[in-house]
Amino acid sequence: MSAFAIGVDLGGTNLRIAAVDERGTILERTALDTQASRGRDFVITEMCEAIRATVSKISSATLAGIGIGVPGIIDMDTGMLRESPNLPGWHDYPVRDDIERRLGAKVVLENDANAAALGEQWLGAARDHEDMLMLTLGTGVGGGLVLGGRIWHGMRGMAGEPGHITIDPDGPPCPCGNKGCLEQFASATAIVRMAKETIAKGGSPGLGRASKDAGGLSAKSIYQLAMQADEGAHQIYRRVGWALGIGLAGLINLLNLPMYVIGGGVASGWDAFLPALLEEVRWRSFVYRATTGPGRKTIITRALLGGDAGLFGAARLPMLVPEVGGQDGVRKRA
Ligand SMILES: [Zn+2]
């Protein structure tokens, strides 16, 4: 009998569940509100009920396990959340073990950005590559590094945080404690902040008008202005590309991967930030310049799976057999 897995994308506001087979076909899917404010036990109970209902609809395959992408830092040893701003009250609680007990199936917890990277590697933009890095440009900047078809976790599951690479040592403060992180230039939050700074300097009548619209300023509205040749908005997206280019140049020099994938809502502004991004990467990364020929090209490209990347990646997790003695060894309990 063939196997399938359940992928869960557990966000602060939405909970999405899909049953996915080994080839990446979605067999069933469902979505509900997370209702994080009603507390951890309520959310876990709702999630387990929805998973049970999804599994019960599939009779043609056996359940390999459940992968859950969660916003926050996960301790791979204990299956607990160390930090998760969107899920208050979840830290220091054995989330993985509790769900395993309730459902009687293998559960793998993963950071949501790592899960998205694995999804893009398995079925998306990097499906022809075992090694890739993904940057997710959303409210913040997340990411994930996949090597040999597996997420690189580092010592305690905290690897894959390219959003907190320093771009400008004296740049805007970041909630992580550093200054001038990539996230402070390439996230939706940063784009709106930069637009407000431009307006305060009287730099763009177009942005000023957009800020008074009903929808207000957003990464999308600023992108639309940039595409209409508004100089202030255009400069902001050039700044996004500049920061991404500096960050990627360092990553390319370090990793020499075949593919770097950029996803998340801000990636919709691809046309507006790509020229500046490539300009920076070309002069800052000799590894990039040395890998432009056929067959050994460094590819920087857009993600393909949109919001489903994390769902597919989460479903992929229980399908991967842990490597004995490898970095995945930390996931196994003694
Ligand atoms: Zn930071």
Side-chain angles (χ1 to χ4, degrees), residues 100-176:
E100 280 191 343
R101 188 178 49 74
R102 292 187 195 214
L103 295 174
K106 175 168 89 169
V107 172
V108 185
L109 289 188
E110 185 54 81
N111 167 268
D112 55 356
N114 279 349
L118 186 64
E120 286 289 339
Q121 186 276 322
W122 184 32
L123 300 166
R127 62 191 174 281
D128 297 327
H129 298 280
E130 287 224 301
D131 304 329
M132 60 86 82
L133 180 124
M134 178 156 170
L135 288 173
T136 303
L137 315 179
T139 314
V141 174
L145 175 61
V146 178
L147 299 175
R150 290 167 179 275
I151 294 163
W152 179 263
H153 286 111
M155 185 171 62
R156 292 299 296 266
M158 293 172 72
E161 291 289 352
H164 300 281
I165 289 174
T166 302
I167 301 299
D168 176 359
D170 301 313
C174 184
C176 75

Side-chain angles (χ1 to χ4, degrees), residues 1 15 48 51 114 131 133 169 171-172 175 199 218 225-226 232 236 247 311:
M1 203 184 223
L15 171 64
C48 288
I51 291 171
N114 279 349
D131 304 329
L133 180 124
I199 293 165
S218 66
L225 277 173
I236 289 165
L311 203 54

Side-chain angles (χ1 to χ4, degrees), residues 166-168 239 241-254 276-290:
T166 302
I167 301 299
D168 176 359
R239 191 94 169 131
W242 165 83
L244 284 169
I246 293 175
L248 276 171
L251 291 163
I252 292 166
N253 283 350
L254 176 69
L277 182 160
L278 290 177
E279 194 182 315
E280 292 301 320
V281 167
R282 276 192 204 107
W283 80 267
R284 290 183 189 272
S285 172
F286 73 95
V287 174
Y288 181 81
R289 291 195 303 277

Side-chain angles (χ1 to χ4, degrees), residues 39 47 54 61 68 133 177 185 216 223 246 278:
M47 176 170 65
T54 307
I68 306 176
L133 180 124
F185 299 100
Y223 166 69
I246 293 175
L278 290 177

Side-chain angles (χ1 to χ4, degrees), residues 20 26 46 48 53 56 78 93 111 114 121 128 149 160 184 186 199 230 236 240 249 269 309 327:
V20 181
I26 292 187
E46 290 269 291
C48 288
S56 71
T78 60
Y93 180 78
N111 167 268
N114 279 349
Q121 186 276 322
D128 297 327
Q184 296 308 315
I199 293 165
D230 179 279
I236 289 165
V240 173
Q327 59 144 353

